Amino acid sequence: MLLKTFGWSFAVTAGGLALAGVLWGWKGLAIVGILSILEISLSFDNAVINAGILRKMNAFWQKIFLTIGILIAVFGMRLVFPILIVTITAKMGPIEAIDLAINDKEQYEHLVTAAHPSIAAFGGMFLLMIFLDFIFEERDIKWLAWIERPLAKLGKLETLSIVVALGALLFTASTFAEDVAHGGGDKSATVLLSGVAGLLTYLVVGGISGYFEGKLEEEDEAEEESGEDGAEAAKKPGGPTVVGLAGKAAFFLFLYLEVIDASFSFDGVIGAFAITNDIFEMALGLGIGAMYIRSLTVFLVNKGTLDDYVYLEHGAHYAIGSLAVLLLVTIKYEINEVITGGLGVALIGLSYWSSVVRNRREAAANSGKEVSSGV
């Protein structure tokens, strides 16, 4: 099970480290290894969130996530995205941007770093919406009930998450964006525009995927109400409860997953410049880390971990909320990646331990009931 799930990750790691050693020597090998660990630590919560979405999809789309999705994650976000940012912000051609990345690494790093306010605003707003829609939703299982219960009641007000997110964006633009740490000057207009773009992206992609998902669920319920036996209906091809979502619903969920991955990767790409400004070392190191995150996502789905440890999704969403806030704060202030990654790991660790305690408590309670009934 472990080798089957992580086999490709192990192979990519061995090949990637060997390539780094050949191309850049021991120093390059160390840099690629450090970047891999950085990516895994920063994106562990991403794997939990992805698993919650991926388990809704059928086997075909899960394979697409591991193949096409990893190509987008590695080459798209870790290699092409920084070059695209330089192309847009510096208003130069892609060939010129690639030449700059290879031959003038310091200037390339400067241009990518200068684009940080717009990147952070887009990613921060997208992730903030994920967190707000989760925390404002009424759900049976609550982790921090003293927070989640009153917020779920407030969440009955429609569009509340949008209002809160826009309020956070306005606050960010009027405070953190007035004198930014990266690039200098007033970036209020840039932050507002990028933040609204992140919000719209969430609403469009998430809304469309939710629409198709809901439509499939309605069709499934209609089939059951028409007189089919529930167990037989679940076995039908395309039944979303067993084989998972397919078609348009799965496609838009796949897009949603890719945007989530992109938002998580922003801080990793920017933080990688603290270790190296070589675009190929960066892509290789972060790409290896991204492979493990993908494999971990599939492992969580196959093992049913989210069903066994019910607070993990809560912890991951709290980690998303904290990352969103930190991204917005980094528009003005430098925040070490250790803090960003460590906070997410800590929240997921706490939610995992809470799940273990809950499972033990329920097991003890059920054992007591069995003893009582036996007497």
Side-chain angles (χ1 to χ4, degrees), residues 59-105:
F60 171 78
W61 280 99
Q62 290 182 7
K63 290 180 180 178
I64 291 294
F65 175 74
L66 276 178
T67 53
I68 304 299
I70 195 62
L71 290 177
I72 295 173
V74 175
F75 295 103
M77 287 309 303
R78 276 75 180 180
L79 186 62
V80 177
F81 172 73
I83 293 175
L84 184 63
I85 287 295
V86 171
T87 300
I88 295 173
T89 56
K91 298 179 180 179
M92 62 174 62
I95 303 300
E96 189 180 356
I98 294 172
D99 180 70
L100 188 71
I102 296 174
N103 299 314
D104 192 352
K105 297 175 183 177

Side-chain angles (χ1 to χ4, degrees), residues 3 17 41 76 84 126 144 156 169 178-179 183 193 196 216 221 231 233 242 250 294 302 307 316 319 341:
L3 185 60
L17 292 178
S41 64
L84 184 63
F126 189 91
L144 305 178
K156 293 178 181 179
L169 179 61
E178 288 185 346
D179 184 19
L193 182 62
V196 170
L216 283 177
E221 290 175 2
V242 173
R294 295 292 166 123
N302 292 339
D307 294 325

